[in-house]
Amino acid sequence: MKKSSLLTVLPAALLCTSLTAFAGETADVTMAFCTWTGYSPMFIAQEQGYFEEAGLNVDIQVIEDESTYAALITQGSVQFLATAQDPNIKMYANGATSRFVLTMDASVGADGLVATADIATLDDLAGKKIALDKSASSYYFFLTALENGSSLSEEDIEVIDMGDTTEAGLAFMSGNVDAAIMWEPELSEALESVEGAHALVTSADYPETILDSLVVNTKFAEENPGVVDAVAEAWYKAVDFLNENPEEAYEMMAGGFEEVTAEDVASDVSGLEFYGRDENASLNDESSEKSIFAISQDMADFWMEKGECETDDLTDFFSLVK
């Protein structure tokens, strides 16, 4: 379960939400993300009262149309936005006024490249049809795998941009393409239902390529640093609750989405690693070769080279955590 086909539109009143000062008063905050288990511990924070305890009234908006995210965070229509680190960096690099808050999770097997039986290696993709969504973070994962694990470039493959990763998975299962980049639940469904189907590579092989992160509107962060800290603290508490009470947590995580069950969440969680306080502290260690700064710089440099970013300078993007 990654995205649903439902589109949730922000109500007009939300665009002019008045935010109170974080000084003994209740602060009204809006947060947005799409239907994906990686973000759903925020529903734990809501249900367990972690936001309320911190003096926050958090309105969580489930917005499936990710093409609107840059405008929403830049305009301040939403104060906090959760999406994959890769598009977060691309949005910032192309002018979005956002600042990194924390890393939420990493895909460690929830995304993968599935191929037919005759394709044994990445090099065997030459001339084959592969379906994928170029707007998804798994596209960066695919190109990274291709660059590091084969002698091919994207031009050697017939890439079919589906515009939706779920549709890419369905195209593979219907026999219309030779391979596809997909995520759960289509990933498991394809492996089980298509004879000879197998995963050439998954995000477990490249765990630094698909991470989810939380960003905040720059002006809001400057004016409300206490709110930013409180939202981060609520996330850390939610991850702790998830680790200690998984079955109860899955119900809360599913409950914030439409047509999502606790079983769906449990399936997704098996391919994810959630990042709490300690994990974020480790990732924010600038001396580490696997720091969030190094990982993100690789992403920025990659997309700068591809002509997808206006800058690869992430100094201001990380100003809240450096």
Side-chain angles (χ1 to χ4, degrees), residues 127-203:
K128 301 292 187 179
K129 292 182 179 179
I130 176 171
L132 52 79
D133 175 7
K134 287 191 173 183
S135 69
S137 57
S138 50
Y139 181 46
Y140 172 68
F141 149 72
F142 166 64
L143 293 181
T144 299
L146 202 65
E147 189 171 278
N148 289 277
S150 80
S151 61
L152 305 179
S153 67
E154 186 177 355
E155 289 69 31
D156 297 315
I157 303 168
E158 186 177 347
V159 174
I160 300 173
D161 184 5
M162 302 297 293
D164 182 274
T165 299
T166 296
E167 293 301 318
L170 295 177
F172 175 79
M173 285 184 275
S174 64
N176 294 327
V177 295
D178 304 295
I181 296 289
M182 60 186 80
W183 49 38
E184 295 293 1
E186 289 79 24
L187 178 60
S188 293
E189 185 179 346
L191 294 174
E192 294 171 1
S193 64
V194 178
E195 185 176 356
H198 60 114
L200 283 177
V201 62
T202 75
S203 53

Side-chain angles (χ1 to χ4, degrees), residues 248-322:
E248 188 177 354
Y250 297 160
E251 293 288 348
M252 296 180 192
M253 293 159 74
F257 297 125
E258 294 188 39
E259 300 181 3
V260 174
T261 67
E263 290 73 22
D264 294 329
V265 171
S267 176
D268 287 345
V269 166
S270 66
L272 293 174
E273 179 182 356
F274 286 96
Y275 287 5
R277 187 190 313 278
D278 292 344
E279 292 82 5
N280 270 274
S282 295
L283 272 177
N284 292 351
D285 179 2
E286 292 186 73
S287 67
S288 171
E289 293 182 358
K290 297 294 186 180
S291 72
I292 189 62
F293 314 115
I295 291 170
S296 300
Q297 194 62 58
D298 286 344
M299 292 179 177
D301 292 344
F302 182 92
W303 289 117
M304 186 77 174
E305 184 179 339
K306 296 288 185 182
E308 296 284 332
C309 289
E310 295 180 6
T311 180
D312 59 358
D313 184 353
L314 303 179
T315 304
D316 288 342
F317 181 67
F318 285 113
S319 60
L320 299 183
V321 294
K322 276 194 173 184

Side-chain angles (χ1 to χ4, degrees), residues 10 46 50 67 72 89 101 114 121 124-125 144 146 168 187 194 199 225 251 268 311-312:
L10 283 174
Q46 197 170 52
Y50 300 149
S67 68
L72 292 174
I89 287 171
V101 177
V114 178
T121 69
D124 292 336
L125 290 171
T144 299
L146 202 65
L187 178 60
V194 178
E251 293 288 348
D268 287 345
T311 180
D312 59 358

Side-chain angles (χ1 to χ4, degrees), residues 207-224:
E208 294 86 23
T209 58
I210 305 178
L211 302 97
D212 291 318
S213 62
L214 182 70
V215 298
V216 62
N217 171 270
T218 301
K219 183 179 179 182
F220 179 82
E222 292 171 348
E223 296 177 350
N224 302 274

